[in-house]
Amino acid sequence: MSSSTKKHSPSEWLRIQSRRAIAAWQRDRLPGLQGGLGDLIIHEALLADEDTGLVYSEYLKEDALDFILSVPKWIYSEKDTLRIEHSRDERVWTTLYEEVKDFYNNPVPDPYPIKLDKNHDQMRLEGTHYFRTWIMNDFGESSTSDSLVLIFDTVPPYKHLPPTPFAPVSAVTDASLAADGDKVTLQLPGHSDWKEGDTAYVYWMNRIPEKFEDLDEYVAEVVTTGKGQPVVIDASIVRAVGDGGVFILYVLVDRAGNVSLLSIYQSVAVALGTLPTVFEDPIVPLAKAEDGYLIDQLDAEAGVEVWVKADVALKSTDLVVVTWQGAELPAETVGSAPGEYIRIRVPDDVLLKEYGSGPGNVATKVSYTLLRGTHPMGGADTDIVVNFETLYPGGPDPEWPLPIHPDATKPVVTGQGSGLRDELDGKDTGLDASLEFKLFSFAQKDDKLFFYWGGEEAGTYTVKETDTPGDSITVDDVPWDTILNVGNHPAVPVYYEVWRSGVPNPVRSVVTEVKVDAIVIKAPDATFDHLNSGAVTCASIQATKDHPDGAAVEVLIPDLSEYLKYGEFSKIRVHWWVYRGRTPVDPEEIIEKVTIEEEVDLDEDHPVTGFTYRIPYATNVLPTYEGSDNPEYTRSRANFEYTILTDEEIPSGVTKVLLAFVPPSGVCDLSR
């Protein structure tokens, strides 16, 4: 008798083992089975309310979060068809999910989680939803579970409109806080679509948030009643945020986690601390009593300011709002300019607009209001006069408040030595310049012209009855002293102003730029100290022997401060050199070994206001005498000069002195 044993592949063997395990599980489970399938399971993390089945809205709206229902164990067969079905009324059911499970080859966990597609139309509906499991085995026998009841709510309070703002709140001050028991009481409005569990989160901020990410930490959490109700903000919160136009707003969050839009904000004026009680009149410094408190065009060109006295009770964060006639200027922070006064510039366009068409003097009121946050603490006003009337009939001038008008053509400058046009060079040194201009079209007899050279008055001319517009008129005496005082410059501005009696605002000509290179700028010569009959003698050397650095020839560098107007400098270059012999010979011989040429830093020891420069006796003076008894060579001729090191160097002249320090004995004894 023979026998054979069938061999199974590894995969077949695993399937056999799986079937045996399932058969054993079914035998164990069958005695305790109840009718139908187990209900679908939803994890408690998805539920805002387990009793009602209210689902957190974020699991329905956010793509990053999955909506998962889990199927409990069922009696598996070879091929099970699994469906998740959905209904709104438990009568009509639609399939949301379907798959065929081959449990023997691909076992499923218990319970079996299924991620539902939230893009199904049924999943987008608000209200009550019913979910059940439908399973059919490989013999066509099907079973269904009881319904899992869930509530979907994805609509926020107030739907998609911003909630109603808080009721208006009076200004909050130390006094109002004390009167309300050290707190502020707000009134939260009711809302018609209220649902139980709606919660308001209240914000007290010193800025307007544009989006949720801009919100500060909420200061109160209130379960709402649907009707108006008080909300208390403790004084400590008010003080922590401080003064300002504070903004109060809130958001509503329902039990499903739906968040409303930010409410419409309500502004609250907060002004804490001591409030000023005395408000002095504003000052317009350019409107002086001696000119009738007048502001004219030249004042506008200089820059009109309003000054407000800084009261001791003011905080640096308080604001000043100035009103010029009918124009309110932007608020200025008190701490922006520490001092006795807060200074506010009035823009040129405001000055001109508020003057209107004039003509003549226009009474103008200037006032201010002090604010702490948005709370007006008080203010004061004053009256001045404004006159922007101009002698040009088509005014105001195009470049107002500059009185420049194109019809007043620019003057032409001529050097009387060089003959150059709008340029002065070395040939013009020491000479007055001439100036020519064409008489403007609106000229009248007795109009007075003032000519300016680099901002300094340089001559006048009065229009004669015989003068005709368009005439060329020459002024020959632009003073050399004025030219010298203004100095060399590649573009000295030259212009004239026209004044007319009874009209406070002049007209200025177009500017001519004159190249001036006629002035030789020279630093003052240095001088030698301790001279004896005009020479450096042994006595001169002996007078310096007690200096810590030893004996020296001392040179006095003068005060150079005034030369800073030609450009900043921090160094000078000095030059000391000596010619051999008492008198010049041809060729002259320089004693090279004693020459000094170096730069000296201007510092605490060498101030720009003047200092002593020392030429060491042992190394740079004594070697000039080489022991010769020839009378021509017992003495020598020393020279000293310095140069100010600006962008363009400014040299001094050369200071000369005779070195005659060799006495009859031949030796200058420094021990005496």
Side-chain angles (χ1 to χ4, degrees), residues 400-477:
W400 197 95
L402 289 176
I404 296 173
H405 199 283
D407 198 51
T409 55
K410 63 183 180 179
V412 175
V413 174
T414 304
Q416 294 192 18
S418 66
L420 294 173
R421 178 188 172 102
D422 297 337
E423 181 177 352
L424 303 180
D425 66 9
K427 295 177 183 178
D428 301 305
T429 301
L431 301 175
D432 294 346
S434 66
L435 183 150
E436 182 181 357
F437 67 96
K438 285 191 176 183
L439 193 61
F440 42 91
S441 63
F442 52 92
Q444 294 182 9
K445 177 181 177 295
D446 294 329
D447 283 350
K448 193 158 187 178
L449 281 66
F450 294 84
F451 298 92
Y452 294 91
W453 183 281
E456 294 194 14
E457 189 174 322
T460 62
Y461 181 81
T462 301
V463 177
K464 302 179 179 64
E465 189 171 4
T466 56
D467 291 338
T468 303
D471 287 352
S472 290
I473 297 175
T474 300
V475 177
D476 284 326
D477 54 353

Side-chain angles (χ1 to χ4, degrees), residues 130 405 423 447 464 487 543 550 554 564 568 570 596 606 628 660:
Y130 301 93
H405 199 283
E423 181 177 352
D447 283 350
K464 302 179 179 64
E554 294 187 336
L564 289 167
E568 294 291 330
S570 60
I596 297 174
H606 306 90
S628 172

Side-chain angles (χ1 to χ4, degrees), residues 342-648:
I342 306 142
R343 301 167 55 172
I344 297 92
R345 173 72 182 266
V346 185
D348 297 337
D349 59 339
V350 170
L351 293 173
L352 190 59
K353 178 177 179 296
E354 294 305 313
Y355 176 71
S357 58
N361 291 350
V362 173
T364 300
K365 186 171 291 293
V366 179
S367 64
Y368 71 90
T369 302
L370 288 171
L371 302 176
R372 183 159 294 169
T374 54
H375 176 59
M377 298 180 286
D381 59 57
T382 192
D383 294 310
I384 62 167
V385 175
V386 177
N387 189 332
F388 294 145
E389 182 180 352
T390 177
L391 58 87
Y392 185 72
D397 302 325
E399 297 187 49
W400 197 95
L402 289 176
I404 296 173
H405 199 283
D407 198 51
T409 55
K410 63 183 180 179
V412 175
V413 174
T414 304
Q416 294 192 18
S418 66
L420 294 173
R421 178 188 172 102
D422 297 337
E423 181 177 352
L424 303 180
D425 66 9
K427 295 177 183 178
D428 301 305
T429 301
L431 301 175
D432 294 346
S434 66
L435 183 150
E436 182 181 357
F437 67 96
K438 285 191 176 183
L439 193 61
F440 42 91
S441 63
F442 52 92
Q444 294 182 9
K445 177 181 177 295
D446 294 329
D447 283 350
K448 193 158 187 178
L449 281 66
F450 294 84
F451 298 92
Y452 294 91
W453 183 281
E456 294 194 14
E457 189 174 322
T460 62
Y461 181 81
T462 301
V463 177
K464 302 179 179 64
E465 189 171 4
T466 56
D467 291 338
T468 303
D471 287 352
S472 290
I473 297 175
T474 300
V475 177
D476 284 326
D477 54 353
V478 177
W480 169 253
D481 286 346
T482 301
I483 297 169
L484 179 64
N485 191 48
V486 173
N488 290 337
H489 194 277
V492 174
V494 178
Y495 61 91
Y496 57 89
E497 284 184 350
V498 186
W499 287 82
R500 182 174 297 163
S501 177
V503 179
N505 302 303
V507 165
R508 186 179 299 173
S509 75
V510 180
V511 175
T512 294
E513 293 184 343
V514 179
K515 180 180 179 182
V516 179
D517 196 21
I519 302 164
V520 177
I521 304 172
K522 194 173 182 182
D525 294 350
T527 55
F528 288 98
D529 202 5
H530 310 298
L531 296 185
N532 187 3
S533 299
V536 174
T537 67
C538 184
S540 305
I541 304 299
Q542 288 171 334
T544 67
K545 66 181 181 179
D546 294 329
H547 191 279
D549 295 333
V553 170
E554 294 187 336
V555 183
L556 302 179
I557 306 296
D559 185 351
L560 305 178
S561 302
E562 67 173 292
Y563 293 88
L564 289 167
K565 67 184 178 183
Y566 300 112
E568 294 291 330
F569 58 89
S570 60
K571 296 176 183 289
I572 65 169
R573 183 173 60 244
V574 299
H575 186 199
W576 158 270
W577 71 103
V578 181
Y579 290 110
R580 182 175 173 80
R582 180 181 63 86
T583 57
V585 295
D586 192 19
E588 288 198 289
E589 180 184 352
I590 293 178
I591 304 173
E592 299 286 355
K593 60 186 174 182
V594 300
T595 296
I596 297 174
E597 188 164 8
E598 66 174 355
E599 291 184 359
V600 178
D601 290 324
L602 298 178
D603 52 25
E604 186 176 347
D605 295 327
H606 306 90
V608 72
T609 52
F611 60 91
T612 299
Y613 180 79
R614 308 186 82 252
I615 298 165
Y617 172 70
T619 56
N620 296 87
V621 179
L622 181 59
T624 61
Y625 174 57
E626 298 173 344
S628 172
D629 58 2
N630 184 335
E632 285 296 324
Y633 297 109
T634 57
R635 300 180 179 185
S636 54
R637 291 159 292 130
N639 305 267
F640 184 87
E641 66 179 0
Y642 68 92
T643 302
I644 299 173
L645 299 179
T646 63
D647 291 339
E648 293 187 9

Side-chain angles (χ1 to χ4, degrees), residues 23-84:
W25 174 83
Q26 290 174 330
R27 285 195 303 271
D28 292 340
R29 188 173 188 274
L30 279 172
L33 284 178
Q34 302 297 321
L37 299 174
D39 294 348
L40 284 166
I41 300 169
I42 184 169
H43 195 282
E44 61 182 15
L46 278 68
L47 295 178
D49 185 348
E50 292 185 41
D51 293 336
T52 62
L54 179 63
V55 177
Y56 279 120
S57 61
E58 59 185 337
Y59 286 94
L60 301 170
K61 295 188 292 188
E62 296 184 16
D63 292 339
L65 298 175
D66 295 331
F67 187 89
I68 295 175
L69 298 180
S70 297
V71 182
K73 280 183 179 180
W74 68 91
I75 303 300
Y76 305 113
S77 69
E78 293 279 350
K79 299 286 185 182
D80 290 331
T81 301
L82 168 65
R83 292 177 186 166
I84 303 294

Side-chain angles (χ1 to χ4, degrees), residues 97-324:
Y97 177 87
E98 181 176 325
E99 69 170 321
V100 175
K101 296 304 299 180
D102 180 0
F103 180 83
Y104 295 105
N105 291 312
N106 295 292
V108 296
D110 177 23
Y112 175 38
I114 295 174
K115 182 174 76 172
L116 295 183
D117 184 357
K118 292 185 286 191
N119 291 318
H120 275 294
D121 289 342
Q122 294 93 324
M123 296 289 288
R124 296 178 178 274
L125 300 174
E126 294 287 301
T128 303
H129 294 253
Y130 301 93
F131 296 87
R132 72 181 185 185
T133 307
W134 179 93
I135 301 175
M136 184 177 68
N137 65 17
D138 51 8
F139 294 110
E141 298 170 332
S142 63
S143 301
T144 58
S145 70
D146 289 337
S147 298
L148 169 67
V149 183
L150 299 177
I151 298 174
F152 289 2
D153 180 4
T154 60
V155 178
Y158 280 92
K159 298 181 171 60
H160 300 290
L161 296 174
T164 305
F166 280 105
V169 179
S170 300
V172 177
T173 64
D174 285 356
S176 73
L177 286 172
D180 196 19
D182 216 27
K183 66 182 184 299
V184 177
T185 303
L186 311 177
Q187 287 298 318
L188 181 72
H191 58 287
S192 58
D193 65 342
W194 174 84
K195 295 177 183 176
E196 185 178 357
D198 286 355
T199 301
Y201 293 86
V202 180
Y203 300 86
W204 179 280
M205 300 176 60
N206 58 8
R207 67 187 191 284
I208 300 173
E210 295 183 1
K211 50 190 177 181
F212 280 94
E213 290 79 0
D214 297 332
L215 288 170
D216 292 340
E217 190 70 26
Y218 62 85
V219 297
E221 177 182 349
V222 181
V223 177
T224 66
T225 63
K227 300 178 181 179
Q229 62 192 103
V231 177
V232 172
I233 306 298
D234 189 79
S236 62
I237 294 170
V238 175
R239 297 187 188 284
V241 174
D243 302 320
V246 169
F247 302 97
I248 50 174
L249 64 158
Y250 64 96
V251 296
L252 289 168
V253 181
D254 65 19
R255 295 177 67 187
N258 294 299
V259 181
S260 73
L261 296 178
L262 295 176
S263 74
I264 300 170
Y265 65 82
Q266 182 69 262
S267 180
V268 181
V270 178
L272 304 174
T274 303
L275 302 180
T277 56
V278 177
F279 303 93
E280 296 188 14
D281 291 348
I283 298 172
V284 182
L286 292 178
K288 297 180 174 64
E290 53 265 33
D291 63 2
Y293 298 102
L294 174 69
I295 291 294
D296 59 22
Q297 189 169 336
L298 290 181
D299 292 328
E301 183 185 356
V304 175
E305 292 183 340
V306 178
W307 291 12
V308 176
K309 187 72 175 288
D311 189 278
V312 292
L314 292 177
K315 296 181 179 180
S316 62
T317 52
D318 291 342
L319 300 173
V320 181
V321 177
V322 165
T323 300
W324 183 274

